[in-house]
Amino acid sequence: MAGVTFEHVTNISAAGTGAVDDMDLEIEDGEFMVLVGPSGCGKSTALRMVAGLEDISEGVLRIGERVVNHVPPRDRDIAMVFQSYALYPHLSVYDNIAFGLKLKKLPKAEIDKRVQDAARVLGLEGYLDRKPRALSGGQRQRVAMGRAIVREPQAYLMDEPLSNLDAKLRVQMRAEIARLQDDLGVTTIYVTHDQVEAMTMGDRVAVMRKGELQQVAQPQELYDRPVNLFVGGFIGSPAMNVLEATLESEDGRLVAVAGSQRIELGDETLGARPALRAFEGRPVILGIRPEDLEDASLASEVGEGAHMRGKVLLREALGAEIMVHFTTDATAAVTDEVRELARDAGAEELADKAEREEGATLVGRFGARSRVREGDTMDVAVDTRALHFFDAETGLGIYDGDGAKGAGS
Amino acid sequence: MATAQPAALERPVTRRDPLAARILRAVGKAPVHLVLVFVGILWLVPTLGLLLTSLLAPEDFQDRGWWQLFSEPARLTFENYDAVLTNETITSSLWTTAVIAVGGTIIPIFVAALAGYAFAWLDFPGRDWLFILVIALLVVPLQMALIPMFEFYNSLGDIPLLGSLAGFDTVGSLILFHTAFGLPFAIFLLRNFFIGIPKDILESARIDGASEMRIFLRLILPLGLPAIASLAIFQFLWTWNDLLVALTFGRETQPITVAIFSQLRAFGANIELIAPATFVSLAIPLVVFFAFQRYFVQGLLAGSVK
């Protein structure tokens, strides 16, 4: 086993989309690192460079201590799980799993033992004689996993291995892969565009955008302290609401003003983000996660200063909670980053619409007991401790004095 | 097929149309079927005639036609086949044909498979231009090369080893000629088939530790089997039935087509030799065809990706 290190790694061959620009990333031995980002952000290219399937134009890539820039894939001692599974259609499940071992010329007994072990772990014992076409999608996916496991490589590379499964199976396999990786303790690089997979599986998550790393951190850190608007909008579901706001001073306290909405910031917020003081009187982008909004009649502990008023457009009852879409007279922030996130979600026209319209539409995640209805005008309580602030010009998060936490910290 | 089953389950009885409707439909299509059957029979008559002629007793050749066998089945005999299969000229030329056809099939297809893989999946400078050149060679007619190649093979005759392997009037020269003219189409077809093999499979094999040669042998060849088999059938039939090339480059080296051709006399004088020999020559490609035709099955790639 070994870690994987990117030092100023650049790939320009994949012109346009998917290029990787000056990537610095250190993945520790045994770590589960998730690369996440919208399509075309270079995450797959980065993974394929580790596999040796994509050229490295500049920089140094190491697996363990070894520089592998010019090492062919077969000598890198890594295993990869493809999005399409890439099973060998003319070989049985057994032969598919044993393929790499046979090439390594291991003794027959050893091959058999490893294949049987992997089949047991993955629940494929009954299917070893079958051809891939006689398997379901989930089984094929597990054969692909098995093929990687038996190799006992330096590192696993996984390129969206779950995206072809249906939703229920995906959740199950997500847990299974995370558990398997924990047991085996092998360095894993996992590429996905699904932020839920990224949050639940990764020891650390690297968010990429247009070939550049945005932030590398533990999942909770990404969620709590996104380095910029892009990371803030990408992590979390439903996505963070973003509003144009200005910071005003009132009796020595800071108030975020968005349209007629005035949200007073408590000491705790300012304590965590001292740099906010410097933005007094200037435009900022205010980020509010849906889960930090609550029906005011259900939220008793929130002070009077942290309310918004809005008109309910849509109420989606999910049983345990209610998603409430409501409009306010604040203005939605539409930046390049917001647009890119919308485009990735296939809803770019919604961003255009938000730009044209007067009021911003927000989503709140209310308790199941909320009685709000479509058409109601209601008070929404805002948890000010969890508000996010971004520089309106640079999109960087506003935290300490320097305004941003660097990537990789 | 998969969609037919649930539909059948939903309405098991009503799917069957009433008898009258089915009869009406059969009658409606009858003219088409009759024409097709008639054309088929018409096509088979010469072959059937040849077969029956070859079964006539030698003394009957002068005064009977093959159609008279229907009234006198007892006169059928395999004597002619005995004669043909013990005839030194015929058996040796059959053997020559087999060597030429097998060599002229396996060699070009193996070379074309290697080239097709390279053109499809390996990056090398000038790849696309070379491939265009290969396609351009498709339009060169074989007849154009006969005289130059005749002179070339003749000139090889003076060189000690090469002359006896591939000079004029050798099996080697015929195999080489068939290889050269079989290659462009074979490369073109196999390259286009190989490029349809999912890239992920090849990349996965590379990561699994396979060299290019092993990928070719373990993945490309088995996955390309449908294309290779159909190509093999065409190439085999072509080389087996070739007369022109063999007539040009062979004198002592006589494949069966040339041997039969040289036995032709006026008024079918030695039909007792030609009919069975022709039928033997015709039967072998048929056997080859039916042996390989199951590889025409498509969908071998099903289940590999997604």
Side-chain angles (χ1 to χ4, degrees), chain B residues 80-102:
Chain B
N80 301 320
Y81 282 92
D82 278 345
V84 159
L85 293 177
T86 51
N87 181 324
E88 187 72 17
T89 317
I90 299 291
T91 50
S92 82
S93 62
L94 263 180
W95 177 244
T96 306
T97 303
V99 173
I100 293 170
V102 170

Side-chain angles (χ1 to χ4, degrees), chain A residues 48 51 53 73-74 78-80 82 84-91 99-100 103 105 132-133 140 147 151 164, chain B residues 199-212 214 218-219 222-223 299-306:
Chain A
R48 290 168 60 82
L53 301 173
R74 67 170 179 275
I78 36 118
M80 184 155 167
F82 287 81
S84 66
Y85 315 144
L87 303 182
Y88 311 126
H90 58 302
L91 300 180
F99 189 83
L103 290 176
K105 304 234 160 44
R133 67 172 163 273
R140 288 177 197 173
R147 203 165 57 177
R151 295 269 315 279
N164 284 336
Chain B
K199 192 181 177 196
D200 285 356
I201 294 182
L202 307 182
E203 290 181 339
S204 178
R206 255 168 228 157
I207 292 173
D208 268 353
S211 60
E212 295 299 334
R214 199 167 284 269
R218 294 287 314 269
L219 294 178
L223 293 177
L300 201 72
L301 285 172
S304 61
V305 296
K306 282 206 179 176

Side-chain angles (χ1 to χ4, degrees), chain A residues 277-343:
Chain A
R277 284 278 176 203
F279 282 84
E280 192 183 315
R282 286 164 59 185
V284 293
I285 291 171
L286 173 64
I288 313 173
R289 294 200 184 276
E291 44 274 40
D292 299 324
L293 295 171
E294 181 57 286
D295 187 343
S297 63
L298 295 177
S300 49
E301 83 276 16
V302 185
E304 189 63 28
H307 277 190
M308 298 175 79
R309 281 193 73 76
K311 188 165 173 243
V312 179
L313 282 180
L314 176 69
R315 169 196 156 105
E316 298 172 304
L318 300 178
E321 61 203 9
I322 298 170
M323 295 294 168
V324 176
H325 300 239
F326 61 96
T327 52
T328 64
D329 61 353
T331 310
V334 181
T335 65
D336 284 350
E337 288 155 318
V338 174
R339 278 182 182 285
E340 195 179 338
L341 290 168
R343 190 182 313 135

